[in-house]
Amino acid sequence: MSANDVGRRLMSMLIKQELFPAGSILLAACSGGADSLAMTDLLREASRVEGWRVFVCHVQHHLRDPEAEEDALFVEAFCRARNLPFLRSDIDVRSYAASERLSVEEAARLLRYKALEEKRLECGALAIITGHHQEDQAETVLLNL
């Protein structure tokens, strides 16, 4: 099955589920990875049919500079090219991890979801949409165990 076929099937499923009423504002969390870029593009396409307004938020963790900044600028350009409102949140993961005695991974997760919730409230979004692939889901299951 081609990527286009998968995209069409996912968009059809998203629309049929009727998860969000017409006119809903949705916040897409976009890291710049293939999964979140595909999800953002899928939401943009579905929004044309469903009448949603999609905002995109990139959380800059400052853990892989300068690559992390390149990711942030890439997502911003991706949004600009697609006429999607772009929001950015910069977080200081290392300081938070040290002050709260957390692992960097746990601190990043907590701050990321806090930042996304703040941006959700800022733009009035009904929901935050995230993209995960199978390895992400396996990691989440392990973390919860």
Side-chain angles (χ1 to χ4, degrees):
M1 184 179 311
S2 75
N4 286 339
D5 291 337
V6 171
R8 280 193 290 276
R9 288 181 64 198
L10 285 171
M11 190 164 100
S12 176
M13 182 179 72
L14 182 64
I15 291 168
K16 284 180 186 175
Q17 293 297 316
E18 298 180 358
L19 297 174
F20 310 111
S24 293
I25 298 172
L26 304 175
L27 180 64
C30 188
S31 67
D35 53 346
S36 66
L37 291 170
M39 176 210 64
T40 300
D41 232 11
L42 178 69
L43 282 173
R44 181 180 64 87
E45 290 298 319
S47 72
R48 292 177 179 171
V49 175
E50 294 296 299
W52 303 327
R53 182 141 188 239
V54 177
F55 284 73
V56 180
C57 181
H58 177 81
V59 179
Q60 184 8 333
H61 296 79
H62 296 281
L63 293 174
R64 301 177 298 107
D65 288 330
E67 294 88 4
E69 185 60 23
E70 291 169 5
D71 289 347
L73 296 174
F74 176 80
V75 174
E76 183 176 12
F78 176 89
C79 291
R80 192 177 322 108
R82 288 157 181 79
N83 201 30
L84 290 168
F86 174 76
L87 305 171
R88 174 180 168 148
S89 185
D90 288 82
I91 58 178
D92 185 352
V93 174
R94 285 192 176 89
S95 293
Y96 184 72
S99 71
E100 299 298 316
R101 297 183 178 180
L102 298 170
S103 70
V104 170
E105 293 81 9
E106 180 70 6
R109 186 182 65 76
L110 291 171
L111 288 177
R112 178 173 53 255
Y113 284 112
K114 181 178 186 256
L116 289 169
E117 177 61 14
E118 288 170 358
K119 293 300 181 183
R120 183 192 72 77
L121 293 171
E122 183 181 308
C123 70
L126 178 66
I128 300 166
I129 313 298
T130 62
H132 294 282
H133 49 72
Q134 193 165 2
E135 288 77 24
D136 290 335
Q137 291 173 354
E139 180 182 341
T140 299
V141 169
L142 290 173
L143 284 171
N144 287 328
L145 288 176

